[in-house]
Amino acid sequence: KPLVFSGVQPTGNLHLGNYLGAIVNFVALQKSHDCIYCVVDMHAITATLVQPDLPAQIREVTAAFIAAGIDPVKQIVFNQSRVSAHAELAWVFNCVARLGWLNRMTQFKDKAGKDRENASTGLYAYPNLMAADILVYKATHVPVGEDQKQHLELTRDIAQKFNNDFGPRIAELGLGRGEAGGFFPAPEPLIQPQAARIMSLRDGTKKMSKSDPSEYSRLNLTDDADTIAQKLRKAKTDADAIPSEAKGLEGRPEAENLVGIFAGLAGKPVAAVLQDFGGSQFSAFKQALTDLAVERLAPVGGEMKRLVADPGYIDGVLKAGAERAAAIAAPIMDEVKDIVGFIR
Ligand code: ATP
Ligand code: MG
């Protein structure tokens, strides 16, 4: 049975990339699937250990999920650290994944930067925990932005190596799935082609990110109309007009990004946006983009602010969600222990 799992880190500055690249898809999938949406607080301490605002950031991501339209009664919404099976399975996966696999992960290279010796071991092992987040529920579909594609491939490699290495034991215990055998499924990424990779407003070759030190690099979900207008006015562009066909965006990363953002917010293909704006100057296009961004983001930001003002409600959602998540994970984790040979 298909099951959707995805997570967002409570690292502050929830932005348009998180919204269009991930959360909008979370909302759409709940119509057709059972979904588990997780505020991955254990991932949030991999890059910066001490975060005095972590509880507020956890509540903010939870509020964003609900404000965007996720139904926390039908779907499961919780914070990762509450369900200890994530950490337990991550340890087993630390012993499944090979150093050579993790050494290829580009997110670690980007986030560790030049001072790699000083990166936490948690940042290095992050993809193993992410694999555990997904597989502890035997989730089959994972809505993410394109930057997470490599981690999803690693998740599949981990699932496959576990299934192969423990194959005889899985068969002996009768825990394989159908004739294909195998205990863990190979989860598939679900990537929104329209908004797979929203780029920084300051540099069209860098992904929009929570951790970018420049506030002007991103539109945050809680930005007010004036801030959105100001950030878009300052957004980097080139001197040419908007082209009327997609090939006119080649080699123009900032133009491509702004047109892509428009398309994502409007829910239209890029070609349709170019048809409407081909020949326009950026000043006129940015004005239309500002109006659209305010129209789409202001209600979400407003609802987030309303929700975080009631931490009792948010905390209740997270607690109930964690109980439901733990009930799914516990029997799977018991089977993992039986397969590995841990006495429980
Ligand atoms: P950080 O810089 O701390 O890693 P982040 O902005 O990458 O923060 P995450 O919590 O790591 O946010 O990612 C949450 C989801 O948002 C993931 O599915 C990720 O792929 C997606 N996402 C993040 N940035 C973008 C982006 N610029 N465009 C599209 N999707 C994105
Ligand atoms: Mg990220």
Side-chain angles (χ1 to χ4, degrees), residues 34 55-56 63-64 97 106 153 173 204 208 222 260 264 288 310 313 319 325:
D34 290 333
T106 58
E153 281 159 17
L173 291 169
M208 187 178 284
T222 48
D310 185 359
Y313 167 71
K319 183 167 189 285

Side-chain angles (χ1 to χ4, degrees), residues 38-57:
C38 188
V39 184
V40 286
D41 47 9
M42 288 157 68
H43 287 282
I45 61 168
T46 54
T48 306
L49 176 60
V50 179
Q51 291 180 71
D53 290 336
L54 192 55
Q57 288 164 188

Side-chain angles (χ1 to χ4, degrees), residues 222-238:
T222 48
D223 282 346
D224 59 23
D226 287 345
T227 309
I228 291 175
Q230 199 183 18
K231 286 179 174 177
L232 286 175
R233 246 194 329 271
K234 289 204 180 210
K236 190 174 169 196
T237 53
D238 52 42

Side-chain angles (χ1 to χ4, degrees), residues 6-9 11 15 17-18 21-22 107 111 126 143-148 195-199 207-211:
S6 196
V8 173
Q9 299 188 70
T11 36
H15 55 77
N18 302 134
Q107 177 176 287
K111 289 197 174 179
Y126 181 119
V144 282
E146 195 169 64
D147 62 303
Q148 293 303 316
R197 200 171 169 78
I198 304 287
M199 308 309 278
K207 149 181 130 62
M208 187 178 284
S209 168
K210 296 199 204 94
S211 40

Side-chain angles (χ1 to χ4, degrees), residues 291-313:
D291 294 344
L292 177 63
V294 170
E295 184 193 313
R296 286 292 311 272
L297 298 184
V300 180
E303 182 65 3
M304 281 172 68
K305 285 176 194 154
R306 201 185 64 76
L307 287 164
V308 294
D310 185 359
Y313 167 71

Side-chain angles (χ1 to χ4, degrees), residues 7-8 23 26-27 37-39 60-70 77:
V8 173
I23 297 173
F26 295 2
V27 176
Y37 295 128
C38 188
V39 184
E60 185 181 65
V61 174
T62 311
F65 286 171
I66 298 168
I70 291 166
V77 173

